[in-house]
Amino acid sequence: MKVTRRVTLGGLLAASAAGSANAQQWRPPRAMNWIVPFPPGGSNDTFARPIAAHVSRTLGQPVVVENRSGAGGTLGGMVVARARPDGCTLLVANSAQSFATVVYPDSGFDLLRDFAPVSNIARVPVGLVVNATRLDVKDLAGFLAAARKAPDMINIGSSGLGTMPHLAIELLQRRTSIRLMHVPYRGGGPALQDLLAGQLDATFQPLSTVASYVQSGKLRALAVATIRRESVLPDVPTFAEAGVKDFEVSTWYGLFAPKATPAAPLDAIHAAVQAALAEPDIKRIWAEQGARIDLESRQAFSDFVKAEVERWSAIARTTGLPME
């Protein structure tokens, strides 16, 4: 796993200096409640609970991680959006919330309007993989050539309508002017099983999930949707290296507070999370999940979220969404 920095450590310290006094002074007045808007046992839990334990020790109050699932994560989001803005109720969101208002227009909240980004937690890179037996292509160029030769004939699976893999498929089609046959599943696991069984041509998957299958030859990874190559599959080129520019896709996880939350708790929680991300046990767990750790300022995370919302919402509007 590579630990990357959007700013250098020195730059991060300088950028956060103005808020460091507030961060040092603020302590939660009561137990903190982190709302995970998805069922127990998912990736949000995997990343939230270890971080919560560190933040609890740092800030001196219990952190309760609570699952409130439903409507693609929007029910839990509404709970936090309407909570008291005192830093004690946070949303553990992921990249799906960046376009939730398009998928669920009646969700009652907007990620940019109703929330203050607090800190990133993890980013999980994804890649395009194919069943090498079913689809005999050697690289991304071969995949694109096959798609152009037979429009709508290559079946590509996703974890469901309105999910990040679905939008990644839409983005790939827009960037390359190809037409694929989208096959939505109830989760990424079933799509991967059909890919392995030869019932599906291709899918976008987290690199850590497919690395062993790629290394054994059961699947072929054509490109990774990251800025640079990933250590889990170092021989697989990025989309840019393979000829498709401006194609970056990852599943990301982060903490958000109600919009009116003052700077002092935001700075304190951000500092506690960033410190946790540097801990050896967190690095080990993240590596096991194929996740990337980015040490960055609160402003950098806020800028990232704004760009993600704008990009993915625009793409989601072209896909036949919203969902009823």
Side-chain angles (χ1 to χ4, degrees):
M1 180 191 67
K2 294 182 178 178
V3 179
T4 61
R5 289 171 169 80
R6 290 180 175 270
V7 293
T8 65
L9 183 57
L12 177 60
L13 293 174
S16 62
S20 61
N22 285 339
Q24 291 171 3
Q25 294 172 1
W26 185 84
R27 289 293 181 269
R30 54 190 170 87
M32 301 176 71
N33 193 21
W34 291 9
I35 301 295
V36 171
F38 299 102
S43 296
N44 283 61
D45 276 356
T46 298
F47 295 117
R49 294 182 186 277
I51 290 288
H54 279 277
V55 171
S56 176
R57 290 193 292 271
T58 300
L59 298 183
Q61 284 281 16
V63 178
V64 178
V65 179
E66 179 184 355
N67 296 90
R68 292 203 185 186
S69 61
T74 61
L75 295 184
M78 283 190 290
V79 170
V80 179
R82 298 169 182 173
R84 187 190 314 170
D86 60 0
C88 291
T89 305
L90 301 180
L91 177 68
V92 183
N94 67 26
S95 46
Q97 270 75 52
S98 66
F99 50 87
T101 53
V102 178
V103 181
Y104 300 99
D106 297 326
S107 62
F109 74 87
D110 180 277
L111 196 62
L112 295 181
R113 182 192 66 208
D114 300 319
F115 293 93
V118 180
S119 179
N120 66 301
I121 295 177
R123 293 190 179 109
V124 179
V126 302
L128 177 64
V129 292
V130 300
N131 182 302
T133 302
R134 180 179 167 98
L135 189 63
D136 186 21
V137 296
K138 305 300 183 185
D139 50 28
L140 183 61
F143 178 87
L144 298 178
R148 292 188 179 105
K149 184 177 181 180
D152 298 315
M153 295 301 294
I154 293 179
N155 297 321
I156 184 165
S158 79
S159 51
L161 291 170
T163 63
M164 183 58 77
H166 175 200
L167 297 196
I169 294 168
E170 297 296 332
L171 179 61
L172 179 61
Q173 292 182 125
R174 289 177 61 172
R175 288 284 183 272
T176 61
S177 300
I178 61 172
R179 296 208 314 266
L180 304 168
M181 178 59 67
H182 175 221
V183 183
Y185 285 78
R186 289 183 174 271
L192 177 58
Q193 290 306 310
D194 268 9
L195 184 69
L196 290 166
Q199 303 301 313
L200 194 64
D201 294 317
T203 185
F204 281 95
Q205 288 283 335
L207 299 184
S208 59
T209 302
V210 298
S212 62
Y213 300 114
V214 172
Q215 291 160 356
S216 68
K218 292 181 179 179
L219 299 178
R220 179 171 292 140
L222 302 183
V224 296
T226 51
I227 296 175
R228 61 187 64 82
R229 296 194 185 198
E230 294 293 325
S231 58
V232 66
L233 290 172
D235 295 329
V236 180
T238 66
F239 271 87
E241 289 174 330
V244 178
K245 305 297 183 182
D246 192 23
F247 193 91
E248 297 171 29
V249 182
S250 66
T251 300
W252 55 261
Y253 304 84
L255 283 176
F256 293 77
K259 188 71 171 182
T261 305
L266 298 179
D267 289 338
I269 298 167
H270 171 267
V273 172
Q274 294 292 298
L277 291 172
E279 291 293 328
D281 65 315
I282 296 296
K283 291 180 180 180
R284 175 183 56 79
I285 296 170
W286 269 226
E288 291 170 353
Q289 299 299 316
R292 199 174 76 217
I293 294 175
D294 291 321
L295 300 179
E296 63 186 3
S297 68
R298 186 160 64 85
Q299 184 61 53
F301 179 57
S302 181
D303 292 343
F304 169 79
V305 170
K306 184 176 185 294
E308 286 286 280
V309 169
E310 292 173 350
R311 178 168 67 131
W312 293 114
S313 293
I315 294 170
R317 293 188 185 99
T318 70
T319 64
L321 301 170
M323 296 172 63
E324 300 296 334

